[in-house]
Amino acid sequence: QVNTAMHEAKLMEECDELMEIIRQRKQVIAVKIKETKVMKLRKLAQQVANCRQCLERSTVLINQAEHILKENDHARFLQTARNVAERVAMATASSQVLIPDINFNDAFENFALDFSREKKLLEGLDYLTAPNPPSVREELCTASHDTITVHWISEDEFSVSSYELQYTIFTGQANFISLYNSMDSWMIVPNIKQNHYTVHGLQSGTRYIFLVKAINQAGSRNSEPARLKTNSQPFKLDPKMAHKKLKISNDGLQMEKDESSLKKSHTPERFSGTGCYGAAGNVFIDSGRWWWDPRPAQLLLSRRYAIGVAYKSAPKNEWIGKNSSSWVFSRCNNNFVVRHNNKEMLVEVHPQMKRLGVLLDYDNNALSFYDPANSLHLHTFEVSFILPVCPTFTIWNKSLMILSGLPAPDFIDYPEQ
């Protein structure tokens, strides 16, 4: 009963306010009509006065003409008739004053009392309800290594006063359930007016959960959670660290054995192994989650290559993986091995392995190798990194291209799929 009385009182208050607005607007418009009436009557009164003057002049002129027509003296008639004829011509020319300025049939053409839109709005008066949950359009969302742009749609967009975007790092299904029940660890972006928003300052190569809340005066509803991820941070090959017999492409994404490039000077930063040719990326990684996709030319035909990471202090004159400062996945003829500190372990691979992917999760002390084409995990080094590491690549022949700045494949985060 209390709630009913409260809502009835609120209803009466709102309707009375609407009626008061209509009453006030009615008065304003009525005043405008009266003002227009006065203005138009003033114009008509002036025209009536002009017409009276014209009529009086015409009456005098007609009387004079009739008087002259009675003149029997031809000479006097001709003398005065010319003057009267000129005055008649002038009176005829000025007769346009009789045309009214105002259209009497549609005298208020500047007013249009069309309240059809307002009537429709008034007929639709009802309780305002909380908006329907919006829906995140994952196919429209985009990402870089540190941003994600979220797009969403709402069925009743016109009833939404604002949106609120909530997001947090996703670390697993159990983590999601606990996070969903407790919003303490979520970042919140309030008062969004459009149906998209770009979040900056995110971690590279990381998956996030996003929720969108549609809000109006009656309440709010959340979207279903969307799991979106940032790309890995891109990098290129560093020509200053490449072996003298390696040619680095202009875009820094490809290395190729080139015996003619001996003109390069040797520096301590360059790889200098005999028979093998090493290069490194132009980054030293000390945080985040990084994915890159090195592609030796004709992967199955390239008999020898080594791909991994190393500390800056790792020796440049020996194979990577032969010391305690580097970790690699390598092919040696028909064997695939992982190598660290001169210790090797055989790895079974798919007979048709065509790609190799590297995932470095520095914060979680893990370096993993994958076969992306076949969705296979090959090996993971668990390393307590103490220094920044650099991506390293070694070939014995052929060439190698790297693709970086891409998101890690979904099968890594969702192996059950």
Side-chain angles (χ1 to χ4, degrees):
Q1 289 177 347
V2 171
N3 284 333
T4 300
M6 179 182 68
H7 280 282
E8 287 177 344
K10 182 65 175 176
L11 175 62
M12 295 299 294
E13 179 184 345
E14 293 290 343
C15 289
D16 289 344
E17 186 175 344
L18 286 176
M19 288 187 285
E20 176 61 21
I21 291 173
I22 292 174
R23 188 190 65 79
Q24 292 178 3
R25 296 308 302 167
K26 177 182 175 182
Q27 290 181 347
V28 170
I29 296 174
V31 169
K32 289 184 178 180
I33 293 175
K34 290 179 180 179
E35 289 175 349
T36 304
K37 173 186 173 182
V38 170
M39 180 270 293
K40 290 180 180 292
L41 288 176
R42 186 180 297 118
K43 282 188 176 180
L44 289 173
Q46 183 62 44
Q47 284 187 287
V48 169
N50 292 339
C51 288
R52 283 201 183 100
Q53 291 178 4
C54 183
L55 182 60
E56 291 173 357
R57 289 195 299 269
S58 299
T59 301
V60 171
L61 188 60
I62 289 172
N63 292 334
Q64 289 179 353
E66 289 177 344
H67 177 73
I68 293 173
L69 287 173
K70 296 176 182 179
E71 178 63 58
N72 294 323
D73 187 343
H74 293 178
R76 182 182 290 275
F77 175 81
L78 291 174
Q79 185 178 4
T80 58
R82 179 177 298 175
N83 183 33
V84 172
E86 290 176 355
R87 292 176 63 188
V88 169
M90 292 176 60
T92 303
S94 63
S95 64
Q96 63 185 7
V97 73
L98 300 176
I99 301 174
D101 291 336
I102 296 174
N103 184 350
F104 293 101
N105 295 325
D106 188 15
F108 287 83
E109 67 276 4
N110 293 330
F111 288 91
L113 294 176
D114 182 8
F115 295 144
S116 57
R117 181 173 65 91
E118 288 76 8
K119 289 177 182 177
K120 187 174 293 186
L121 289 173
L122 289 173
E123 289 169 357
L125 285 178
D126 202 346
Y127 277 112
L128 177 66
T129 59
N132 290 323
S135 177
V136 177
R137 298 285 302 277
E138 294 191 28
E139 72 278 9
L140 299 179
C141 300
T142 57
S144 70
H145 71 277
D146 63 351
T147 68
I148 291 179
T149 300
V150 187
H151 291 259
W152 60 86
I153 57 172
S154 177
E155 293 179 358
D156 46 0
E157 184 173 341
F158 293 107
S159 70
V160 178
S161 59
S162 68
Y163 296 98
E164 183 176 279
L165 184 65
Q166 303 169 345
Y167 63 95
T168 189
I169 294 177
F170 174 67
T171 58
Q173 192 63 32
N175 159 264
F176 168 70
I177 294 172
S178 62
L179 285 174
Y180 193 72
N181 293 329
S182 173
M183 304 299 287
D184 294 341
S185 60
W186 291 66
M187 299 295 291
I188 298 176
V189 183
N191 199 32
I192 301 173
K193 298 301 183 180
Q194 65 275 13
N195 60 354
H196 58 87
Y197 188 82
T198 300
V199 181
H200 296 268
L202 301 177
Q203 297 182 19
S204 64
T206 304
R207 190 175 295 274
Y208 288 82
I209 308 169
F210 285 89
L211 292 173
V212 180
K213 180 185 291 186
I215 304 170
N216 64 16
Q217 291 177 326
S220 63
R221 288 195 176 101
N222 288 335
S223 69
E224 290 294 320
R227 290 177 290 191
L228 306 172
K229 58 186 173 184
T230 53
N231 298 339
S232 298
Q233 190 165 341
F235 64 86
K236 299 180 180 181
L237 296 169
D238 188 349
K240 296 179 182 178
M241 297 181 68
H243 194 285
K244 289 197 300 181
K245 293 186 178 181
L246 281 179
K247 179 181 179 181
I248 306 300
S249 62
N250 292 333
D251 59 10
L253 301 180
Q254 190 164 354
M255 53 189 278
E256 183 178 6
K257 180 182 175 183
D258 183 10
E259 295 288 353
S260 65
S261 59
L262 295 178
K263 295 180 181 179
K264 298 176 184 175
S265 60
H266 176 71
T267 61
E269 291 80 15
R270 287 193 186 279
F271 285 85
S272 58
T274 304
C276 63
Y277 312 99
N282 61 353
V283 292
F284 283 95
I285 301 168
D286 59 2
S287 64
R289 199 165 182 254
W290 297 61
W291 168 268
W292 59 93
D293 192 344
R295 301 189 179 185
Q298 300 176 322
L299 187 64
L300 294 173
L301 299 178
S302 297
R303 309 297 295 179
R304 305 187 76 177
Y305 55 83
I307 294 165
V309 300
Y311 292 144
K312 186 176 182 180
S313 58
K316 301 295 190 298
N317 60 348
E318 61 184 23
W319 296 6
I320 53 174
K322 292 282 188 179
N323 50 65
S324 61
S325 301
S326 56
W327 299 259
V328 299
F329 177 94
S330 177
R331 178 174 184 176
C332 300
N333 296 321
N334 293 325
N335 294 325
F336 293 86
V337 300
V338 289
R339 185 168 59 244
H340 168 63
N341 202 18
N342 210 23
K343 295 179 181 179
E344 294 183 351
M345 184 177 71
L346 288 173
V347 177
E348 292 186 8
V349 302
H350 192 279
Q352 298 298 320
M353 185 176 77
K354 296 181 179 180
R355 291 170 53 197
L356 178 67
V358 184
L359 180 68
L360 173 62
D361 192 343
Y362 191 95
D363 298 326
N364 290 311
N365 300 312
L367 173 67
S368 301
F369 299 92
Y370 293 90
D371 175 358
N374 298 299
S375 301
L376 293 176
H377 170 252
L378 302 177
H379 182 78
T380 293
F381 284 109
E382 294 183 358
V383 185
S384 297
F385 295 113
I386 58 175
L387 294 170
V389 293
C390 183
T392 56
F393 312 90
T394 301
I395 58 175
W396 277 255
N397 52 25
K398 308 293 182 181
S399 63
L400 180 143
M401 179 177 67
I402 60 167
L403 298 178
S404 62
L406 303 175
D410 286 339
F411 79 88
I412 294 176
D413 294 312
Y414 308 111
E416 70 279 2
Q417 298 179 8

